[in-house]
Amino acid sequence: MNVLVLNGPNLNRLGTREPLIYGSTTHADLAEMCVAEGKALGFAVEVRQTNHEGEMVGWLHEAADAGTPVILNGAAWTHYSIALRDACSQLTAPLVEVHISNIHQREEFRHHSVISAVATGVIAGLGVEGYLLALRWLALRQK
Ligand code: DQA
């Protein structure tokens, strides 16, 4: 099975961006971890990152058409992008929303996600390991 891991704006800056909040793992490290975990679980994992909302919407349409499960960290778009939510609503396979930080412990504007109501499940605050847990859940669900 193919799995898409989609990361939104500023996540290309992982490793240097606010390391006390997001840790020291770079986006390249994260991608490598996800691909390796996927391989161990029997998935072909593709990790993508964009700072452009339209590009992200296009990737979600691609996943919807192909029936591909998605692990999504919408980053800041999580909190306000109805375009992202509408694209997520069209997905035909599970959607796991992941946040590296615990958005509920942070500023009030981060407490609400417009994605959560259309996600299958949400993982927040477990660091980059949250992505690996999402992959494991997808594998368990298949059994
Ligand atoms: C984030 C949390 C968001 O509030 C923030 O805008 C991000 C990253 C996280 O992974 O913790 O860019 O989604």
Side-chain angles (χ1 to χ4, degrees):
M1 182 166 75
N2 293 330
V3 177
L4 268 179
V5 176
L6 302 180
N7 286 321
N10 297 299
L11 292 170
N12 56 313
R13 307 277 302 158
L14 280 179
T16 49
R17 172 193 185 195
E18 301 178 270
L20 289 179
I21 298 174
Y22 298 111
S24 54
T25 305
T26 65
H27 191 270
D29 294 338
L30 169 65
E32 209 173 286
M33 286 163 59
C34 288
V35 169
E37 186 74 19
K39 207 167 174 184
L41 296 166
F43 295 149
V45 175
E46 198 182 328
V47 183
R48 302 181 191 172
Q49 188 278 329
T50 183
N51 295 321
H52 303 280
E53 196 176 1
E55 186 168 36
M56 179 64 88
V57 167
W59 290 343
L60 289 163
H61 292 168
E62 182 188 320
D65 290 344
T68 305
V70 172
I71 297 171
L72 172 68
N73 185 343
W77 293 328
T78 302
H79 309 299
Y80 67 87
S81 173
I82 306 303
L84 208 63
R85 180 205 168 105
D86 286 350
C88 288
S89 298
Q90 298 171 52
L91 290 170
T92 47
L95 166 66
V96 185
E97 177 183 355
V98 169
H99 300 285
I100 295 166
S101 66
N102 182 347
I103 54 176
H104 304 287
Q105 268 175 358
R106 300 183 61 197
E107 302 96 324
E108 195 151 346
F109 67 86
R110 295 186 204 275
H111 294 183
H112 183 65
S113 162
V114 298
I115 307 298
S116 296
V118 295
T120 313
V122 183
I123 297 172
L126 302 183
V128 290
E129 289 82 2
Y131 291 85
L132 308 183
L133 294 171
L135 284 166
R136 286 189 200 173
W137 176 78
L138 284 171
L140 287 170
R141 196 181 165 277
Q142 276 208 131
K143 285 188 180 161

